[in-house]
Structure formats: structure tokens, C-alpha cells
Amino acid sequence: MKKENDDLDQLFEKFENQWDVKRMNADHQVDFLNKLNNKQPKKKNYAVWAIAASIVVLLGVSLFYNNNEKPKEFKFASKETQRTDSIFSILIDNELVKLKEKSSPENEQIINDALKQMKVFDADYAKILKEVQKNGENKQIIYAMISNLQTRISFLQTVLQRIEENEKFKNTTDEKTL
């Protein structure tokens, strides 16, 4: 034990004039707190940017989809066909509204891909409507029309389910790893 004390004494003697023994002024704590309060970090406006990006995406989606809409009325079809189209169109529009409400940077790619697929369904539906106008209504054409409308609704519901699953997966906090 004595040897250790001797070693420490030698160490202190070696660094005797090199110690920083300057005392802080009495207002040091006040000066430090003032500097700390004046130096506030820049606020990051991620929320503002996220909202702005969502608005831009929604506008783009609405412009993209509105430019490719089919005519709302087709007078050459029977009242039953028009009513069927009207009912399905309302359901499809409701699903599209739900899809647009789910818009976020994480879901942007899924939504864009879904809207591209909807454009394909719209093009097919326009062909069906031309067939109805050209050849009149028959069971095959009406079946194709209803099938297209049902497929659109089913597709949009599947996309919405996929988005909800992704959101649940990202919000899961108690994950276990093996």
C-alpha cells in the first residue's frame, strides 16, 4: 500500500504546475443558462412538409383520375343497366375516397400503382360501353360490364386491406425476434 501512495505522490509532483486551478466567476451558471436558452435548435417542420406532400399527391391523383373518367351517363343503355352502373360507380367512388384518405409518403407507391391499374380497368370498361352502344345489350356484355365493376371494387378493397396491414405492421411495437 505504501508503494501505491508513493507512486501517486510522484504522479502529483510530476504534474504539479500543470493543473488547471482557475476558478469560474460567480455568474458562470447564469451565463451558461442564458447561452443555453438563446441557442434553440431549429425546428424541423416535418409535419408541414408531410401535409404539403399529401396535398400534392391528392391533387395529382384527382387530376390523373378525373382526366380518365368515363362519361357519367350513357343514354343508349337500358334503365336497369344505367342503374347498375350508377350503383357500382358510387361504390367505386367511395372506395377511391377511402384510398385517397390513406395517402401518405409510405403508401404513395401502392396508391399510384392502384390508380394505374384502375386506369386499365377504366379502359376495359370503355371498350365494354362501346360494345353496348354498337351491338346493344346482351347477356355476355352485361356480364362483362358487371364483372369489370365488381373487379374494380374488389381490387380497391384489397389495396385498402394491404395498406392497413402495412400500417399495422409499422405500428407494431412489441415484436419478437428469434
Side-chain angles (χ1 to χ4, degrees), residues 92-110:
I92 291 168
D93 290 342
N94 287 341
E95 294 299 314
L96 283 171
V97 167
K98 289 178 188 177
L99 185 70
K100 290 175 185 178
E101 288 174 354
K102 296 286 186 180
S103 180
S104 70
E106 294 87 19
N107 300 332
E108 183 178 358
Q109 184 65 38
I110 295 172

Side-chain angles (χ1 to χ4, degrees), residues 107-125:
N107 300 332
E108 183 178 358
Q109 184 65 38
I110 295 172
I111 292 173
N112 288 339
D113 290 345
L115 292 175
K116 285 179 186 176
Q117 184 60 42
M118 287 300 291
K119 188 177 180 181
V120 171
F121 290 142
D122 287 341
D124 290 343
Y125 193 73

Side-chain angles (χ1 to χ4, degrees), residues 68-147:
N68 297 312
E69 279 189 9
K70 63 174 178 52
K72 287 292 181 189
E73 290 186 29
F74 44 102
K75 296 179 181 176
F76 49 85
S78 69
K79 290 198 184 287
E80 292 83 16
T81 303
Q82 290 178 4
R83 193 172 338 143
T84 302
D85 176 71
S86 175
I87 291 169
F88 277 103
S89 293
I90 291 169
L91 293 173
I92 291 168
D93 290 342
N94 287 341
E95 294 299 314
L96 283 171
V97 167
K98 289 178 188 177
L99 185 70
K100 290 175 185 178
E101 288 174 354
K102 296 286 186 180
S103 180
S104 70
E106 294 87 19
N107 300 332
E108 183 178 358
Q109 184 65 38
I110 295 172
I111 292 173
N112 288 339
D113 290 345
L115 292 175
K116 285 179 186 176
Q117 184 60 42
M118 287 300 291
K119 188 177 180 181
V120 171
F121 290 142
D122 287 341
D124 290 343
Y125 193 73
K127 290 177 187 176
I128 293 169
L129 291 180
K130 286 180 185 176
E131 280 294 316
V132 170
Q133 187 176 15
K134 181 179 168 184
N135 298 328
E137 295 179 21
N138 64 45
K139 287 182 181 183
Q140 289 177 334
I141 293 175
I142 298 301
Y143 177 77
M145 183 179 111
I146 292 173
S147 177

